[in-house]
């Protein structure tokens, strides 16, 4: 912009110099110079219009035309003598007449371009300013000049036309400058140009109507300055381009407010001055009073309009905000009139349902393909139209999309017929198809097993609760797969998943319509809720299901498996809750597992009582040791070759405070499950070692059973050492019986524990050999001293197969240098047969029943009595010996006083503590040796 100004000044200087030299004009001949400024202004206006927007471009072209006509009029005066023109001044005045009109049109174009709201209040403000200025000019300039003018009336009016038109231009310029976004530098300079031109015309008017003529040089100078300002404004690029908003119309800036106040007060001041002037004419007083009244009225109208605009603006802002929200909302908003015709539909209709707003406007609402999702609601639109005033209705519907798809929508209807601004029912449709689909997926996932697609445990329980609440008595069937872990670990989890899905499909197919629900209630456990049918029918279906599972199932491309399962069945009773029924089915399933693979077990009252008792046992086991409810009894072990007692097995008994004597089979497994077996095992070791230390025969050993949990415990070796040191018992007198089942899960760790026990001199025995596992690998790998033949094998020793198996076990033990003990010998025939087979030792009711510690001590004393028989026979001793209480555990002081055990002699650790055994007496009659013990 600065370059333009520099070049403009250079151009003006060059043009003025060339013009002055060619015209040979002096400063006194200033009219000769007046052709240059308007020509320059016209050129600048043409150049400036090129970078303005459409409305301003037209305005500046009009200004350029006005300046060009003015330059032409001055040029006509300059060259009138050259062309021989007469009355050139009249023709020049005629040529200058339209220039005001063009400038007025230009100002109006700018005002229109910046007033899209057609603010009538800006027109009032400009009128107030113009009238106040006109009044002051009339009183100060025009009226005095008219009174002194020698011209006639027509001449006075003609000379007044130019200042009057300039005054109109100033008013339009004030209107433009007061508008928002129009007060830029170019418009300020344009207003200065108009005021300067008004001043120049007023000086010319004064010179024409006054008593003396003023020098035209001053008027020409002001005119030149006016065109210079027009040139500046035309070339100024910093013009306002921003758009205008409606709420700007009520803002009164400081400039506007001061202009209005001054213009409103000026007529009052002028009127007062005129009234105080005695020389003022009557016409002047009338004009001043009229102008003051008009300006005051206009000011009052402007203030009233401002108040109205503020009120309207508040409403318009609310309406605009609401309209903007509705137009931009993603929800479909419709307005339905009292006749049920849609009068408005928001643009969201296109984005949501694919229809144009015009497609729905004018239609009756009943013709829309919108249906209620609930089957209970039939007359949807009837319910909507019958809404009471100011009430709402919300429900879920489905609407047809333009592509034929149905979308799930939330319909909200509000009756606003009593609201004058609305006068109808407002309907809002929100698309919830995606959220409803997601909700269905989440609901399905929360109610179904993701692997099999069956219902999950919670869904199964919910259906069961509903059935019981409705008064039905369904049957719960629990199915647990046998050895699923073996298949899952051996063939892989993918094969296990295929197996589970196949099992679910076969259960669904088998139970069919009788099943209310088939669910996967555990990792390898399924549940079936059967409708109210006979138990015999359910049992039959359960057995058929087991047969179904045995059919081959292909788990991968190369392998197939057959499944087996245990099934528990519980029939609902009127008093049962859902939790009770689930528990009963679980109890029946546990019982089926105990019976073996592929079993079906139903729940009954007796099974429930047993389970309840087991639960009581499990709770009371935690306190039984502290209540001194445990005690030991001892099962003597005799040598079959001569009938002499060589040791005893310590057996744990529990005297329950409610149920009395509890068998080990009823609580040992529970003790292992609850973890109480570790402290109980330590107590048993302490008691057994202390009792054995009190026996008169120091060669007799005591056998103590060790559970799998104790054997896995890293402290089992330390526990044995503690008991030996505490009691002072020799290590080779302690035999630990290990059940073969305890070595199945972790035989490497068990072997290590047994080896450590052997290292301290403790002997080990493999208990219940021949009960079902009987792997020869255990006998070869484990550090053993004794093999105990299982009771069931001894009980059937007369069977040829059992006899052959027992013979094999005994011969194997003999070949490995191990002793054998037969358990559960109850008949003389069994004892004789075992003796003939070469079995070393035996225990059972044939010889002795379990004895109390006191009775066991008496038996040992009796067998050590002299041959003269001074002591009572063992039968009498045992009859008199009560089952005394268990020995108390030794104190910490007593434990500290026990001297440490010497290192055992491994060479003697394997030898029997009794005398050197006799050779096998197979095929010999040993009844004479057993008869004294059997009497």
């Amino acid at each position: 912009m600065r370059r333009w100004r520099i070049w403009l000044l250079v151009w003006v200087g060059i043009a003025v110099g060339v013009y002055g030299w060619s015209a040979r004009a002096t400063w006194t001949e200033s009219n000769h110079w007046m052709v240059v400024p308007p020509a320059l202004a016209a050129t600048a206006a043409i150049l400036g219009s090129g970078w303005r927007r459409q409305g301003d471009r037209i305005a500046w072209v009009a200004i350029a035309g006005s300046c060009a006509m003015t330059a032409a009029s001055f040029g006509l005066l300059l060259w009138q003598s050259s062309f021989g023109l007469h009355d050139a001044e009249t023709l020049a005045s005629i040529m200058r007449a339209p220039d005001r009109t063009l400038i007025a049109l230009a100002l109006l174009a700018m005002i229109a371009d910046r007033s899209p709201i057609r603010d009538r209040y800006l027109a009032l403000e400009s009128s107030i300013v113009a009238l106040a200025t006109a009044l002051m000019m009339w009183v100060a300039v025009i009226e005095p000049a008219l009174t002194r003018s020698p011209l006639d009336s027509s001449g006075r009016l003609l000379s007044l036309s130019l200042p009057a038109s300039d005054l109109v231009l100033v008013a339009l310029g004030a209107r433009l400058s007061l508008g928002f976004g129009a007060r830029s530098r170019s418009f300020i300079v344009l207003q200065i140009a108009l005021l300067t031109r008004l001043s120049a015309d007023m000086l010319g008017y004064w010179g024409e109507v006054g008593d003396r003529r003023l020098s035209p040089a001053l008027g020409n100078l002001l005119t030149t300055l006016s065109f210079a300002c027009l040139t500046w404004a035309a070339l100024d690029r910093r013009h306002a381009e921003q758009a205008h908003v409606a709420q700007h119309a009520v803002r009164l800036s400081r400039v506007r407010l001061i202009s209005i106040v001054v213009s409103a007060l000026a007529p009052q001041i002028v009127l007062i001055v005129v009234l105080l002037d005695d020389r003022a004419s009557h016409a002047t007083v009338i004009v001043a009073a009229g102008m003051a009244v008009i300006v005051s009225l206009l000011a009052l109208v402007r203030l009233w309009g401002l108040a109205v605009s503020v009120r309207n603006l508040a409403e318009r802002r609310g309406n605009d905000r609401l309209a903007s929200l509705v137009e931009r909302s993603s929800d479909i908003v419709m307005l339905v009139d009292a006749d049920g015709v849609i009068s408005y539909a928001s643009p969201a209709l296109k984005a949501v349902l694919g229809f144009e707003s015009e497609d729905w406007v004018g239609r009756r609402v009943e013709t829309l393909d919108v249906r209620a999702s609930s089957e209970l609601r039939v007359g949807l639109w009837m319910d909507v139209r019958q809404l009471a005033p100011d009430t709402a209705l919300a429900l879920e519907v489905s609407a047809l999309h333009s592509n034929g798809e149905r979308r799930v929508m939330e319909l909200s209807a509000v009756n606003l017929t009593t609201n004058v601004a609305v006068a109808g029912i407002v309907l809002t449709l929100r698309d919830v198809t995606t959220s409803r689909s997601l909700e269905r997926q989440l609901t399905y996932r929360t109610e179904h097993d993701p692997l099999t697609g069956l219902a999950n445990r919670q869904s199964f329980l919910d259906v069961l609760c509903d059935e019981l609440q409705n008064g039905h008595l369904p049957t719960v069937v629990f199915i647990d797969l046998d050895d699923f872990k073996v298949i899952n670990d051996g063939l892989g989890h993918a094969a296990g998943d295929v197996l589970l899905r196949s099992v679910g499909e076969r259960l669904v197919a088998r139970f069919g319509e009788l099943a209310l629900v088939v669910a996967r209630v555990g990792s390898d456990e399924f549940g079936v809720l059967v409708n109210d049918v006979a138990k015999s029918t359910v049992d039959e279906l359960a057995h058929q299901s087991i047969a179904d599972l045995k059919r081959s199932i292909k788990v991968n491309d190369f392998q197939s498996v057959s499944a087996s399962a245990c099934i528990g069945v519980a029939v609902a009773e009127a008093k049962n809750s859902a939790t009770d029924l689930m528990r009963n089915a679980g109890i029946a399933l546990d019982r089926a597992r105990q019976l073996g693979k592929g079993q079906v077990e139903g729940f009954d009252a007796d099974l429930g009582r047993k389970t309840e008792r087991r639960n009581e046992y499990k709770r009371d086991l935690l306190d039984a040791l502290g209540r001194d409810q445990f005690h030991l009894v001892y099962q003597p072990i005799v040598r079959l070759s001569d009938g002499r007692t060589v040791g005893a097995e310590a057996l744990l008994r529990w005297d329950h405070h409610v149920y009395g004597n509890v068998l080990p089979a009823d609580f040992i497994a529970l003790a292992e499950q609850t973890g109480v077996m570790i402290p109980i095992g330590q107590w048993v070791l302490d008691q057994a070692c202390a009792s054995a230390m009190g026996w008169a025969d120091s060669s007799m050993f005591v056998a103590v059973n060790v559970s799998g949990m104790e054997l896995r415990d890293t402290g089992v070796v330390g526990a044995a050492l503690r008991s030996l040191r505490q009691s002072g018992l020799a290590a080779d007198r302690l035999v630990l019986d290990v059940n073969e089942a305890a070595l199945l899960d972790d035989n490497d760790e068990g072997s290590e524990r047994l080896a450590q026990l052997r290292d301290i001199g403790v002997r080990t025995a493999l208990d219940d050999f021949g009960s079902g596992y009987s792997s020869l690998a255990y006998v070869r790998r484990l550090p053993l001293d004794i093999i105990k033949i299982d009771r069931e094998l001894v009980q059937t020793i007369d069977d040829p197969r059992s006899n052959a198996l027992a013979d094999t076990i005994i011969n194997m033990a003999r070949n490995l240098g191990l002793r054998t003990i037969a358990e559960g010998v109850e008949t003389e025939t069994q004892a004789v047969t075992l003796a003939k087979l070469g079995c070393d030792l035996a225990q059972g009711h044939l010889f002795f029943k379990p004895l109390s510690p006191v009775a066991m001590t008496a038996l040992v004393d009796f067998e050590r009595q002299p041959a003269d028989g001074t002591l009572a026979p063992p039968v009498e001793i045992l009859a008199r010996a009560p089952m005394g209480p268990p020995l108390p555990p030794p104190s910490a002081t007593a434990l500290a006083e026990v001297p440490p055990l010497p290192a055992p002699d491994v060479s003697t650790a394997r030898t029997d503590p009794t005398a050197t055994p006799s050779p096998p007496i197979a095929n010999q009659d040993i009844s004479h040796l057993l008869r004294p013990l059997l009497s």
Side-chain angles (χ1 to χ4, degrees), residues 507-517 529-531 533:
L507 290 176
V508 171
R510 172 54 59 187
F511 284 89
E513 297 180 354
L514 293 179
L516 296 173
V517 61
L529 187 63
V530 183
N531 206 349
V533 296

Side-chain angles (χ1 to χ4, degrees), residues 51 186 356 358 372 423 563 577 650 660 691 763 883:
W51 57 67
S186 63
E356 298 292 343
E358 295 77 8
S577 64
S691 297
R763 293 188 293 171
M883 298 288 286

Side-chain angles (χ1 to χ4, degrees), residues 131-155:
L131 289 176
T133 305
L135 177 61
M136 290 186 292
M137 290 179 61
W138 173 269
V139 174
V141 178
I142 298 176
E143 196 274 337
L146 288 175
T147 57
R148 296 189 297 268
S149 176
L151 300 176
D152 56 7
S153 300
S154 59

